[in-house]
Amino acid sequence: MSSNDSSFMVRGPGAVRPLPRSSPPLTRRPRARLLSCHPLLSSATSVGPALSSPTLSGKRVFSSEPQAGIIYYSQEKYFRHVQQAAAVGLEKFSNDPVLQFFKAYGVLKEEHIQDAIADLESIRHHPDVSLCSTMALLYAHKRCETIDQEAIQELECSLKEIHKTASGTALYYAGLFLWLVGHHDRAEEYINYMLQVSRGFREGYVLRGWVDLTSGKPYTAKKAINYLEQGIQDTKDVLGLMGKAMYFMMQQSYSEALEVVNQITVTSGSFLPALILKMQLFLARQDWEQAVEMGHRILEKDESNIDACQILAVHELAREGNMTTVSYLKIQKATNHVRNLIKALETREPQNPSLHLKKILVVSRLCGSHQVILGLVCSFIERTFMATHSYAHVATELGYLFILKNQVEKALLWYSEAMRLDKDSMAALIGVCRRGRAPEGCWEPNRVASMGPEETCWKTSSLEGIIWCHILEGHLEEAEHQLEFLKEVQRSLGKSEVLVFLQALLMSKKHNGEQEAAALLKEAVELHFSGMRGLPLGSEYLEKLDPHFLVCIAKEYLLFCPKQPRFPGQIVSPLLQQVAVILNPVVKAAPALIDPLYLMAQVRYYSGELENAQSTLQRCLELDPTSVDAHLLMCQIYLAQGNFGMCFHCLELGVSHNFQVRDHPLYHLIKARALNKAGDYPEAIKTLKMVIKLPALKKEEGRKLLGPSVQPSQRASILLELVEALRLNGELHEATKVMQDTISEFSGTPEENHITIAIVDLVLSKDNVDMALTMLRNITPKQSGYMEAREKMANIYLQTLRDRHLYIGCYRELCEHLPGPHTSLLLGDAFMSILEVSERPHNFAKWPPGSLLPWERREDQRRFFHEPEKALEVYDEAYRQNPQDASLASRIGQAFVKAHQYTEATEYYEAAQKINGQDFLCCDLAELILKLKKFDKAEKVLKQALEHDVVQDIPAMMNNVKCLLLLAKVYKSYKKEAVIETLKKALDLQSRILKRVPLEQPEMIPSQKQLAASICIQFAEHYLAEKEYDKAAQSYQDALSYLPTDNKVMLELAQLYLLQGHLDLCEQHCAILMQTDQNRETASVLMADLMFRKQEHDAAINLYHQVLEKVPDNFLVLNKLIDLQRRNGKLEDIPAFFELAKKVSSRVPLEPGFNYCRGIYCWHRGQPNEALKFLNKARKDSTWGQSAIYHMVQICLNPDNEVVGGEAFENQEAEINYTEKKELERQGVSTAEKLLREFHPHSASSQTQLQLLQGLCQLATREKPNIEAALSRFLQITQAEKDSVPALLALARAYVFLKQIPKARMQLKHLAKVPWMLSEADDLEKSWLLLADIYCQGGKFDLASELLWRCVQYNKARGAHTRAARLRRAFELLQEGEAGFAGRGHAE
């Protein structure tokens, strides 16, 4: 429509765009029967006289719930709904001009122009609607096939006259009409004029608020709330409240919006637009559960509600993923929702093609390549096109759908049809391109200027679709020619993301510049996401997200990414990071789409995040177990992990789900690689030679991807794998021949450089370093693979030639030729790697003999000192180039820490946090401060990070959990009482995350469950330290609820059950653990402890024997066996196991664990000097050292292992060598004190152990001041750990030495009630013997008898052992006096 089409407005021209139309009937159409009982209008029929509203200048303005519904549906373009609502109103108010106007408006927008003109003529002279009716008549006449110029002139004259005398009511409805047809500026002028004429007109303020709200201008939209509030005032104006809710929704204040909607639903519960808005608000809040529930509630009131049907279909496609071939019922569920939506559109809005397209677009964007749903959508849009075949944008959408169906030829036909339907528009585009005049009649002057943005988009997208089809078919030259034309056109119209993507796609297909193509892809992504900025989650957001388009971009990016997983410590490619940025919004919003999930798994695989990739792939396979790509990528992950058994199993599993997996070349390549790594070279060679015979695809135009074919890049990988297999199999001549053929075949292709880089490894295996470097140097900066080649060169210089200058030089060249944050980061890491090498001399074990190591040269020492400074300079430069990169800021801080510049690191973290507000740095800062043991400061930092409003997005919630866990770690060091409360907060927040992750990011479920379980384990560890065993057991059970198959947690729980004496529960868990190979040994040891506890000594010993027969050098088990055999009185069986262990290796006698076990054995055999000799060999070991020192101190203080403090059964004869004995005791104490100087505690328990041993040394002097000092020390320990068995025993001994027997007896009686535990058995038995001595001294032999029998029950040792001799003597005395003791009571 030309600029003259706006003459129905008094104040200047507008920009109303005509819709394409079919020829209207010249006669009036038969009136359709309008159902007054329509569910939509149930509220209107119940209102009755309430249709009337306050008057304005004596004129009635009808503003109520029914009119609010009519205006809402008019604005949403539900034109048949508008007609039906007006018809229901007319049944009660048959001559109401406003209702008649809206009915005519709905008819007009359905393109029944003659009927609309007749209806409008009948109400044209009514003063309330005269102005809007005349405008609508002008609008209608100019849409006719044959325009009646006389009628238009007459209407224009009439419009000027009416405007002079128009009332406020007439101006109101004129503004309303202008707003509904899209003329916001003109509508604003009319409403402002109306508000001047009629002050206090509330409905006018509400309408002005709506006009501002929908203006598309953020600044104007923000002012809307003032007008809406002024219009609503204290009333319940439905239209005003709807506008207010919409305003809050646009401002993303969803809670406030819900409050407003709830106000409407309370007073008008059946007002469907409010319920629809509420459903959309739930969706905007990402609360899918309530959105779906609201959708079902709407359908109960209106069984064919279009919006509810759409949301349910979207939910099924985006969140549930019930589109696989696994279950027929699942397929039906998804397709039924789509059918319901299509049926609702065709029955409720049968002549509304624009609405049809608008509502179905989101389905086409979310259905992916699912053929059933694609077929439904295609058929529906084809029917729409047949009904209104002049709609070019419908044809364009059909072209896009056929691209999704991989039917490129049909897509090209539809795109061409769309171009044909708009010849005039295309001519206008050509005119703009040529900057000159087209042939007469081809196009109208100013035609392009008058095109609306939506129309321009459709015109250019049809040409873009044609270019896309040409590229897909391989017609690259033709595509390039058309692309150049379109680029010229869009210089004046603005860039399109599709156009930029097509440029990148064409460049990629023609192999013209990897960096340029990547830059274009980045630009396309930025353009794409810029059009979605500020949109809440909903149908429009998902439509504009267009997952298929983003998947296409991601696939092109991945062509330029490394094809092997990143090694630990290696920097992730920035291209991979970019792909992750592209896919994250798709995976978050629509986690049931398989293609984005699979690509995200690929990104994580290439980034080295193998576990995360597995989780994502597992979700893919849940959605579609027949996915060939997902099965093969899972195999590659197992292969990268070195798990060849699972790799082969996964290959066969894939075949069982989909036999076509065997036809994929990658299947055979993975199988061959697994065979190679497993050492089966002949079978690998056979597999590779078979797959090579498959036809290779050349990069020629017009190629078709049919059958089991091999892509060139895959063929290159297969040939290189064959070279490696032949080399490993000793067929060097054949390997060389295949290598030369491979180089020749791929010479001049994009794969050439990648082959060169791969062959370098083969050359290096022959120690031909010079040739390898020459091959790598030949790859220039403009060629693909340049960065990979320079990194490999650098690795050769550092690892093989040991030349750090050339090593750094490679990265300097990268920065010079490929400047950017990524290469700067590589250079900084290179400097830091030199620093790490300088701190790890064992890496230079193969340094040439006779030469100085780098850190031994003075000049290199000075250089190494400056390496961190150089690295920091480079990092800082990279950070300036990309200040938003979180990893860079974190890396700078880590560089300070690696350089041991802790003060500088702390200052940097604090400054970066203040400047950029990057909260993620607070965790790094807190960890650093925690290492420096500045607990108060760490607490302050973490509390500041947690002081913010409640967060809703998952990443922020995860960061809060991390902060809370760090805070709990801080509290463990100095505020133990706050640990539990902090952990509870962390677990509550993690539970919220786990509720949302299945819907938003299902691939994160395993990692988040793992974190929840780890929090429960921290609870359990805290409760264990506090001796709250029941709570600890419950915490372990909670951890198992998250990870039912976690054997480590199950083992901890079983050990706790044993500690508590719940032997049956312990046995159940042990039986489960023993069924797995991984935990069988540990479970067997625990089961043996259990058997011993149940007095089944032979069974326990047999279990230990079984473990040691398989692993004779398992010294942990051997140590337990020694203790068990000692208690069973069979120490003579132990030497055989020492001999068995020696057979494993000649180095076993030098092992600390072996010597520790020998020392313990000798001590139990009554050979203290031999025991000290063996234990001394283990005291420097990190694993056995502290235990060795502990026992050495005990031997020095009590070489005969007597019950210190016991007097009941001592020989009363005077000591012959008293002086000599005191000297030996003094020497023993001195030696023990020297040993304790080497005792360096690494935990709170070992610190307590050190204090205990120091007290025992003081106690052993038998001097009163020392005994009192020891007593004070023991009291401090028991105050901190009330139930510490060793501390209570030591305390009782001190009281005995101080002759405070009642106090000693009180402590020992407390220990007599403690259940027997193997870990504290020795101290418990000593306490029982000491208490028995005290009872015997007091003549309470019956009580002593019970204690002594208990000792014998757990310790059957015989022979030279002093304590055993004391036991035997005790029972002899008891037997002699048994008759005398029989009558005594058991109570003291």
Side-chain angles (χ1 to χ4, degrees):
M1 185 176 69
S2 70
S3 59
N4 295 328
D5 290 338
S6 60
S7 59
F8 59 81
M9 290 174 292
V10 174
R11 301 189 178 211
V16 180
R17 177 178 60 83
L19 293 172
R21 56 191 179 275
S22 58
S23 300
L26 297 178
T27 57
R28 292 178 65 86
R29 65 181 174 91
R31 297 285 183 175
R33 180 173 177 265
L34 300 173
L35 301 178
S36 60
C37 59
H38 197 283
L40 161 71
L41 305 166
S42 57
S43 61
T45 56
S46 63
V47 172
L51 280 167
S52 299
S53 70
T55 61
L56 175 66
S57 302
K59 304 294 183 181
R60 184 173 60 83
V61 177
F62 121 47
S63 174
S64 59
E65 182 182 320
Q67 180 171 342
I70 290 174
I71 295 174
Y72 171 83
Y73 286 118
S74 298
Q75 201 265 336
E76 291 292 320
K77 297 179 172 49
Y78 285 82
F79 302 125
R80 183 57 62 90
H81 286 63
V82 172
Q83 295 174 60
Q84 291 171 335
V88 172
L90 287 169
E91 290 180 359
K92 293 181 178 291
F93 305 94
S94 57
N95 295 319
D96 191 292
V98 175
L99 290 172
Q100 289 176 339
F101 170 75
F102 276 114
K103 180 171 172 292
Y105 171 75
V107 173
L108 173 62
K109 296 301 286 184
E110 282 192 347
E111 294 298 311
H112 298 292
I113 297 173
Q114 297 301 322
D115 289 346
I117 289 173
D119 290 341
L120 290 167
E121 286 287 355
S122 67
I123 59 172
R124 174 182 166 188
H125 299 292
H126 193 287
D128 286 355
V129 294
S130 58
L131 196 57
C132 62
S133 298
T134 304
M135 288 179 178
L137 282 167
L138 274 168
Y139 182 82
H141 274 289
K142 293 192 176 186
R143 300 177 71 84
C144 291
E145 188 74 17
T146 303
I147 299 176
D148 187 344
Q149 295 295 341
E150 292 183 6
I152 289 176
Q153 290 176 5
E154 188 269 331
L155 287 168
E156 288 174 349
C157 293
S158 177
L159 184 63
K160 292 178 183 178
E161 293 300 321
I162 296 170
H163 184 269
K164 293 177 183 178
T165 60
S167 65
T169 306
L171 291 170
Y172 172 83
Y173 286 113
L176 178 59
F177 171 74
L178 291 171
W179 171 58
L180 291 176
V181 295
H183 290 276
H184 291 80
D185 292 338
R186 301 268 68 86
E188 183 180 337
E189 291 180 14
Y190 270 80
I191 297 167
N192 288 341
Y193 182 54
M194 179 266 296
L195 291 174
Q196 291 175 10
V197 171
S198 307
R199 295 187 180 278
F201 185 17
R202 291 188 303 96
E203 288 82 359
Y205 287 112
V206 169
L207 181 57
R208 174 61 198 276
W210 270 101
V211 171
D212 285 353
L213 196 64
T214 56
S215 64
K217 302 172 185 176
Y219 175 74
T220 305
K222 286 184 179 180
K223 298 189 299 181
I225 189 63
N226 297 326
Y227 290 107
L228 291 167
E229 291 283 10
Q230 197 168 356
I232 298 170
Q233 295 177 3
D234 297 328
T235 67
K236 300 294 183 182
D237 187 284
V238 177
L239 187 62
L241 290 172
M242 288 287 289
K244 189 175 177 180
M246 288 291 292
Y247 169 81
F248 285 130
M249 187 175 181
M250 289 177 65
Q251 299 301 316
Q252 299 184 358
S253 301
Y254 303 126
S255 298
E256 294 179 51
L258 272 174
E259 288 179 12
V260 177
V261 173
N262 287 335
Q263 291 179 34
I264 303 173
T265 55
V266 167
T267 56
S268 306
S270 57
F271 185 57
L272 285 180
L275 298 180
I276 292 169
L277 182 56
K278 192 171 184 178
M279 176 178 67
Q280 292 168 348
L281 279 168
F282 283 135
L283 192 53
R285 295 178 66 182
Q286 302 180 27
D287 190 342
W288 281 93
E289 185 177 351
Q290 290 203 63
V292 171
E293 183 181 342
M294 184 56 64
H296 287 297
R297 180 179 165 188
I298 292 169
L299 289 177
E300 287 176 3
K301 297 176 180 292
D302 178 6
E303 63 181 2
S304 57
N305 184 274
I306 294 172
D307 291 287
C309 290
Q310 184 194 47
I311 290 299
L312 293 179
V314 166
H315 173 260
E316 203 64 36
L317 297 174
R319 312 298 294 186
E320 295 299 320
N322 297 328
M323 297 188 293
T324 68
T325 56
V326 179
S327 167
Y328 176 76
L329 291 177
K330 287 185 175 182
I331 298 173
Q332 284 296 102
K333 191 174 180 182
T335 53
N336 282 345
H337 281 301
V338 176
R339 284 195 182 99
N340 290 341
L341 173 60
I342 292 171
K343 182 180 178 181
L345 286 168
E346 290 183 327
T347 56
R348 301 294 297 279
E349 289 290 332
Q351 297 181 26
N352 199 338
S354 295
L355 186 71
H356 289 185
L357 195 58
K358 177 183 175 182
K359 294 298 180 182
I360 206 66
L361 273 179
V362 66
V363 175
S364 71
R365 299 299 182 264
L366 292 176
C367 65
S369 57
H370 187 258
Q371 296 303 312
V372 175
I373 295 177
L374 270 176
L376 286 173
V377 175
C378 273
S379 299
F380 171 61
I381 297 182
E382 282 177 344
R383 291 195 299 273
T384 301
F385 181 79
M386 295 303 294
T388 54
H389 54 267
S390 63
Y391 273 40
H393 47 284
V394 177
T396 303
E397 178 61 21
L398 280 166
Y400 185 76
L401 288 171
F402 279 106
I403 285 181
L404 293 180
K405 295 180 76 172
N406 293 321
Q407 298 179 22
V408 181
E409 292 181 0
K410 285 189 176 181
L412 184 57
L413 290 174
W414 279 110
Y415 281 127
S416 301
E417 176 68 11
M419 290 289 293
R420 184 190 66 78
L421 290 171
D422 273 293
K423 292 179 181 178
D424 290 344
S425 299
M426 198 61 232
L429 294 174
I430 295 170
V432 171
C433 178
R434 292 177 177 172
R435 297 291 192 270
R437 184 175 177 82
E440 187 176 353
C442 284
W443 60 291
E444 299 176 18
N446 302 322
R447 175 68 180 95
V448 174
S450 67
M451 289 166 60
E454 181 183 352
E455 185 180 5
T456 305
C457 175
W458 285 116
K459 305 307 177 293
T460 54
S461 63
S462 59
L463 183 53
E464 287 166 348
I466 290 172
I467 297 170
W468 198 346
C469 291
H470 286 320
I471 294 174
L472 292 175
E473 289 192 320
H475 303 152
L476 303 185
E477 295 300 327
E478 187 173 351
E480 185 174 17
H481 174 72
Q482 293 180 340
L483 196 57
E484 287 300 321
F485 160 71
L486 193 54
K487 283 165 62 178
E488 291 294 325
V489 171
Q490 292 208 342
R491 283 181 184 175
S492 61
L493 300 176
K495 287 187 176 181
S496 154
E497 64 264 34
V498 179
L499 173 65
V500 178
F501 166 69
L502 291 176
Q503 293 175 15
L505 183 61
L506 184 63
M507 194 172 288
S508 173
K509 295 288 184 183
K510 299 185 75 174
H511 313 296
N512 293 337
E514 175 183 317
Q515 295 177 30
E516 292 81 357
L520 286 169
L521 289 172
K522 185 177 181 181
E523 184 181 359
V525 171
E526 290 171 354
L527 286 169
H528 184 76
F529 283 115
S530 66
M532 302 167 51
R533 202 165 289 131
L535 280 178
L537 180 63
S539 299
E540 184 182 2
Y541 174 87
L542 292 169
E543 174 200 327
K544 291 189 181 237
L545 183 64
D546 198 351
H548 177 259
F549 179 65
L550 292 177
V551 163
C552 291
I553 294 177
K555 285 181 178 178
E556 289 304 312
Y557 259 122
L558 287 173
L559 293 177
F560 309 134
C561 294
K563 299 300 185 293
Q564 294 299 325
R566 176 184 67 93
F567 296 110
Q570 189 179 2
I571 298 174
V572 178
S573 164
L575 296 180
L576 284 173
Q577 294 175 345
Q578 182 67 17
V579 179
V581 168
I582 293 168
L583 294 174
N584 270 327
V586 183
V587 173
K588 181 179 179 181
L593 299 187
I594 296 176
D595 289 344
L597 274 179
Y598 170 73
L599 290 178
M600 183 62 87
Q602 269 193 311
V603 170
R604 287 171 176 165
Y605 168 66
Y606 293 144
S607 301
E609 303 174 21
L610 301 183
E611 292 184 359
N612 287 339
Q614 276 182 310
S615 300
T616 308
L617 278 178
Q618 194 58 48
R619 172 63 176 163
C620 287
L621 292 171
E622 288 172 6
L623 292 167
D624 184 4
T626 66
S627 173
V628 174
D629 291 332
H631 280 294
L632 292 177
L633 184 56
M634 187 71 85
C635 296
Q636 288 177 282
I637 291 171
Y638 284 124
L639 189 60
Q641 292 173 333
N643 193 341
F644 308 129
M646 281 303 298
C647 178
F648 289 122
H649 171 73
C650 195
L651 284 171
E652 296 309 314
L653 186 65
V655 173
S656 68
H657 283 292
N658 187 346
F659 196 72
Q660 291 179 350
V661 171
R662 294 176 63 90
D663 297 334
H664 203 293
L666 191 57
Y667 169 86
H668 302 284
L669 177 59
I670 294 170
K671 184 178 180 181
R673 281 180 176 165
L675 290 167
N676 253 348
K677 293 190 176 184
D680 193 350
Y681 308 125
E683 188 63 28
I685 293 168
K686 179 182 175 183
T687 301
L688 289 165
K689 286 184 175 179
M690 182 272 293
V691 74
I692 284 172
K693 295 176 183 178
L694 295 173
L697 274 178
K698 304 298 182 183
K699 292 187 177 294
E700 299 173 352
E701 294 186 3
R703 68 178 186 269
K704 296 184 179 179
L705 306 179
L706 298 174
S709 55
V710 184
Q711 298 289 344
S713 59
Q714 291 177 341
R715 179 174 172 81
S717 299
I718 291 166
L719 288 168
L720 290 172
E721 193 66 33
L722 179 58
V723 169
E724 181 68 7
L726 291 168
R727 183 184 70 81
L728 293 171
N729 201 39
E731 302 178 42
L732 295 181
H733 177 74
E734 184 67 18
T736 305
K737 182 177 179 299
V738 175
M739 181 181 71
Q740 291 171 348
D741 292 342
T742 303
I743 295 172
S744 175
E745 179 180 343
F746 290 96
S747 177
T749 68
E751 285 77 26
E752 181 181 10
N753 292 331
H754 298 292
I755 290 170
T756 300
I757 294 169
I759 290 176
V760 163
D761 292 329
L762 178 62
V763 174
L764 286 173
S765 68
K766 298 179 181 180
D767 295 326
N768 195 341
V769 178
D770 292 337
M771 183 179 178
L773 290 172
T774 302
M775 294 170 67
L776 292 170
R777 285 193 195 101
N778 290 334
I779 300 176
T780 63
K782 293 185 178 181
Q783 294 178 308
S784 62
Y786 172 72
M787 185 178 292
E788 188 180 354
R790 280 295 176 272
E791 288 189 76
K792 191 171 279 290
M793 280 180 68
N795 190 53
I796 293 171
Y797 284 134
L798 185 65
Q799 301 297 332
T800 307
L801 299 180
R802 316 294 184 185
D803 191 326
R804 73 180 189 86
H805 299 289
L806 292 175
Y807 169 72
I808 292 294
C810 289
Y811 290 104
R812 289 194 187 279
E813 285 182 28
L814 275 176
C815 287
E816 182 181 346
H817 293 105
L818 301 175
H822 180 63
T823 51
S824 296
L825 199 58
L826 288 173
L827 178 58
D829 285 354
F831 280 119
M832 293 306 298
S833 65
I834 291 176
L835 175 66
E836 291 173 2
V837 167
S838 70
E839 294 175 346
R840 292 181 297 169
H842 59 274
N843 282 354
F844 286 89
K846 296 183 180 180
W847 195 261
S851 60
L852 290 174
L853 296 174
W855 50 88
E856 295 174 335
R857 305 175 188 148
R858 288 185 180 178
E859 63 275 15
D860 280 334
Q861 288 175 356
R862 289 194 296 270
R863 288 170 186 162
F864 283 130
F865 179 76
H866 293 296
E867 299 303 345
E869 296 179 5
K870 294 178 182 178
L872 287 166
E873 289 176 9
V874 175
Y875 286 145
D876 189 53
E877 181 184 350
Y879 187 61
R880 287 175 187 170
Q881 296 174 14
N882 190 8
Q884 301 304 319
D885 191 338
S887 62
L888 270 174
S890 181
R891 199 176 287 260
I892 293 172
Q894 290 169 9
F896 278 119
V897 174
K898 285 182 181 178
H900 307 294
Q901 300 178 21
Y902 301 119
T903 304
E904 290 82 354
T906 304
E907 291 174 354
Y908 168 77
Y909 280 133
E910 290 173 346
Q913 219 175 340
K914 288 178 182 177
I915 294 170
N916 297 328
Q918 294 171 331
D919 291 338
F920 68 91
L921 289 177
C922 75
C923 292
D924 291 349
L925 175 59
E927 286 178 346
L928 174 60
I929 298 172
L930 187 58
K931 288 178 182 177
L932 299 175
K933 299 188 182 301
K934 297 179 181 179
F935 303 119
D936 291 336
K937 193 171 181 180
E939 179 186 9
K940 183 179 177 182
V941 169
L942 290 167
K943 281 189 171 181
Q944 285 178 349
L946 292 166
E947 287 176 357
H948 51 66
D949 295 333
V950 178
V951 292
Q952 296 295 335
D953 59 303
I954 288 180
M957 292 167 70
M958 290 167 62
N959 189 64
N960 280 0
V961 171
K962 186 177 180 181
C963 289
L964 286 167
L965 292 178
L966 275 174
L967 188 59
K969 190 176 180 181
V970 171
Y971 286 149
K972 283 179 185 177
S973 304
Y974 86 122
K975 276 189 183 178
K976 288 188 177 180
E977 66 278 3
V979 172
I980 290 298
E981 186 63 30
T982 308
L983 287 175
K984 282 180 179 178
K985 291 179 181 178
L987 187 58
D988 290 343
L989 191 54
Q990 187 63 22
S991 299
R992 284 174 53 199
I993 293 172
L994 281 171
K995 287 179 181 178
R996 288 179 54 182
V997 161
L999 292 175
E1000 296 179 29
Q1001 299 179 24
E1003 74 282 356
M1004 292 178 62
I1005 293 175
S1007 61
Q1008 293 307 307
K1009 283 188 174 181
Q1010 182 74 46
L1011 181 57
S1014 72
I1015 297 172
C1016 295
I1017 292 170
Q1018 289 187 51
F1019 271 110
E1021 290 171 348
H1022 179 82
Y1023 287 132
L1024 274 175
E1026 298 296 318
K1027 308 284 186 179
E1028 297 183 46
Y1029 298 130
D1030 290 338
K1031 291 183 178 180
Q1034 183 58 53
S1035 296
Y1036 279 131
Q1037 289 171 4
D1038 293 341
L1040 285 173
S1041 69
Y1042 294 110
L1043 299 174
T1045 59
D1046 191 315
N1047 292 332
K1048 186 177 179 181
V1049 178
M1050 195 175 293
L1051 182 64
E1052 293 288 342
L1053 183 58
Q1055 290 173 338
L1056 181 56
Y1057 282 143
L1058 180 62
L1059 185 65
Q1060 291 180 286
H1062 302 322
L1063 304 186
D1064 292 339
L1065 290 172
C1066 177
E1067 188 170 2
Q1068 289 175 16
H1069 284 74
C1070 286
I1072 296 171
L1073 289 166
M1074 291 178 71
Q1075 294 175 4
T1076 61
D1077 295 333
Q1078 185 178 1
N1079 300 95
R1080 184 170 294 170
E1081 288 182 18
T1082 311
S1084 297
V1085 172
L1086 185 59
M1087 183 68 88
D1089 294 344
L1090 174 65
M1091 293 296 105
F1092 183 80
R1093 184 77 176 269
K1094 294 173 72 173
Q1095 302 297 309
E1096 298 177 14
H1097 297 163
D1098 293 338
I1101 291 170
N1102 286 336
L1103 285 169
Y1104 282 135
H1105 283 190
Q1106 291 173 15
V1107 174
L1108 288 172
E1109 284 170 2
K1110 293 180 180 178
V1111 191
D1113 58 347
N1114 189 331
F1115 301 121
L1116 288 171
V1117 176
L1118 181 56
N1119 182 44
K1120 282 181 171 288
L1121 180 62
I1122 291 170
D1123 188 58
L1124 183 58
Q1125 291 287 46
R1126 185 254 305 187
R1127 295 179 179 284
N1128 206 32
K1130 295 182 180 180
L1131 273 175
E1132 62 274 9
D1133 296 342
I1134 294 300
F1137 291 97
F1138 289 135
E1139 296 303 319
L1140 187 63
K1142 289 179 182 178
K1143 293 178 182 180
V1144 174
S1145 170
S1146 60
R1147 294 186 58 83
V1148 165
L1150 304 177
E1151 289 287 334
F1154 179 81
N1155 285 288
Y1156 177 85
C1157 292
R1158 289 287 300 271
I1160 297 298
Y1161 168 76
C1162 291
W1163 189 29
H1164 292 323
R1165 295 286 295 175
Q1167 301 169 358
N1169 291 330
E1170 289 294 311
L1172 286 171
K1173 182 180 74 173
F1174 286 113
L1175 289 172
N1176 189 55
K1177 295 179 181 180
R1179 71 187 174 94
K1180 299 289 186 182
D1181 184 65
S1182 60
T1183 303
W1184 300 94
Q1186 287 198 356
S1187 294
I1189 292 173
Y1190 176 82
H1191 284 99
M1192 290 175 74
V1193 170
Q1194 293 280 17
I1195 292 172
C1196 290
L1197 298 179
N1198 186 13
D1200 295 328
N1201 204 12
E1202 295 179 341
V1203 180
V1204 178
E1207 303 291 343
F1209 306 109
E1210 290 291 338
N1211 189 347
Q1212 301 300 322
E1213 297 178 5
E1215 285 283 350
I1216 299 174
N1217 298 320
Y1218 178 78
T1219 305
E1220 182 180 350
K1221 182 177 180 182
K1222 292 296 291 182
E1223 178 62 21
L1224 290 173
E1225 288 178 353
R1226 188 189 63 77
Q1227 291 178 0
V1229 172
S1230 177
T1231 304
E1233 288 175 343
K1234 290 178 182 177
L1235 287 168
L1236 287 179
R1237 295 191 191 104
E1238 300 178 10
F1239 193 97
H1240 303 294
H1242 301 295
S1243 63
S1245 60
S1246 58
Q1247 179 66 39
T1248 303
Q1249 195 176 54
L1250 175 61
Q1251 291 180 357
L1252 183 68
L1253 290 173
Q1254 290 170 340
L1256 291 175
C1257 286
Q1258 292 174 318
L1259 201 65
T1261 62
R1262 309 292 177 97
E1263 297 174 0
K1264 187 174 181 180
N1266 288 339
I1267 294 173
E1268 290 176 346
L1271 180 65
S1272 177
R1273 191 186 296 269
F1274 297 148
L1275 284 171
Q1276 288 179 1
I1277 297 174
T1278 54
Q1279 285 175 1
E1281 300 181 25
K1282 295 181 180 179
D1283 296 323
S1284 174
V1285 173
L1288 290 172
L1289 174 60
L1291 186 63
R1293 287 172 176 174
Y1295 283 133
V1296 169
F1297 284 135
L1298 292 173
K1299 308 300 182 181
Q1300 299 178 16
I1301 303 302
K1303 290 184 178 180
R1305 184 170 60 243
M1306 183 177 66
Q1307 303 299 330
L1308 294 170
K1309 287 172 70 177
H1310 176 72
L1311 288 175
K1313 298 175 183 177
V1314 175
W1316 186 87
M1317 292 176 288
L1318 188 60
S1319 59
E1320 297 175 338
D1322 284 342
D1323 288 324
L1324 284 173
E1325 291 166 11
K1326 289 175 183 177
S1327 70
W1328 298 341
L1329 287 171
L1330 182 57
L1331 182 58
D1333 281 351
I1334 293 173
Y1335 280 148
C1336 287
Q1337 284 182 341
K1340 299 177 181 178
F1341 296 104
D1342 50 349
L1343 297 176
S1345 173
E1346 289 182 11
L1347 293 169
L1348 293 174
W1349 277 113
R1350 194 189 301 178
C1351 288
V1352 172
Q1353 179 184 0
Y1354 293 110
N1355 194 334
K1356 296 187 174 75
R1358 295 289 185 272
H1361 198 286
T1362 304
R1363 184 166 47 185
R1366 292 172 61 83
L1367 284 170
R1368 286 200 306 276
R1369 178 58 182 158
F1371 277 106
E1372 288 173 4
L1373 291 173
L1374 284 172
Q1375 288 172 0
E1376 291 173 2
E1378 185 175 359
F1381 303 147
R1384 294 181 180 271
H1386 293 285
E1388 189 173 358

